[in-house]
Amino acid sequence: MIVTIIAVFALALQLGGMVFFAAVMAPMVFTKLPASEAGRFIRAVFPVFYIYVLVTSLIAALALATQWDGAVMAVVASLTIWLRQGLMPRINTLSDAARSGDLAAKRHFDAAHRMSVALNVAQIIATGVVLARVAV
């Protein structure tokens, strides 16, 4: 019983945090701050965001370790590591190059950013499905 409560709590925190960041925080930053400040702010927030997702998904994975849902959350955690340590630095490098006028970097940035958004949406969906399954 307590393990299920821990899993539900971790999943709810993760899902709420991810949806809030994607639907409220990021759009607000880019509409309320000048572009240069918004970019610096988002660069500072993303590493913390990914640690938040990593910790909550690992807690859920451990709490659900004896179930298929635990494996799903372990995949979410693993993907988060790659997003934070691999894709995010690449996006930042491409963004800097694009701002310097490199048109090829701009195309690569756009593609990498789309991939990042798609993978974050997939993580949100996976977390929501696991939360719905566990909470019932």
Side-chain angles (χ1 to χ4, degrees):
M1 179 75 165
I2 190 74
V3 173
T4 302
I5 291 169
I6 291 169
V8 168
F9 188 67
L11 290 162
L13 283 172
Q14 180 173 329
L15 184 61
M18 292 182 82
V19 170
F20 177 79
F21 184 81
V24 177
M25 177 85 156
M28 183 175 279
V29 166
F30 284 102
T31 59
K32 300 295 182 185
L33 294 176
S36 62
E37 289 179 36
R40 279 195 311 273
F41 182 77
I42 287 295
R43 278 190 189 196
V45 170
F46 258 114
V48 177
F49 167 76
Y50 282 130
I51 292 296
Y52 177 85
V53 173
L54 179 61
V55 169
T56 54
S57 59
L58 283 175
I59 291 169
L62 290 171
L64 300 170
T66 62
Q67 302 172 35
W68 176 250
D69 295 322
V72 172
M73 295 314 299
V75 169
V76 169
S78 298
L79 180 56
T80 301
I81 293 169
W82 180 76
L83 286 166
R84 185 180 193 275
Q85 300 304 119
L87 188 58
M88 187 179 59
R90 172 101 173 114
I91 287 172
N92 290 342
T93 300
L94 290 168
S95 176
D96 292 343
R99 253 188 266 118
S100 297
D102 183 338
L103 296 178
K106 172 73 170 121
R107 286 191 310 277
H108 291 297
F109 167 82
D110 290 342
H113 184 262
R114 280 192 303 275
M115 177 189 297
S116 173
V117 169
L119 292 173
N120 276 286
V121 168
Q123 288 179 304
I124 289 169
I125 291 168
T127 301
V129 167
V130 171
L131 177 58
R133 287 174 40 84
V134 173
V136 172

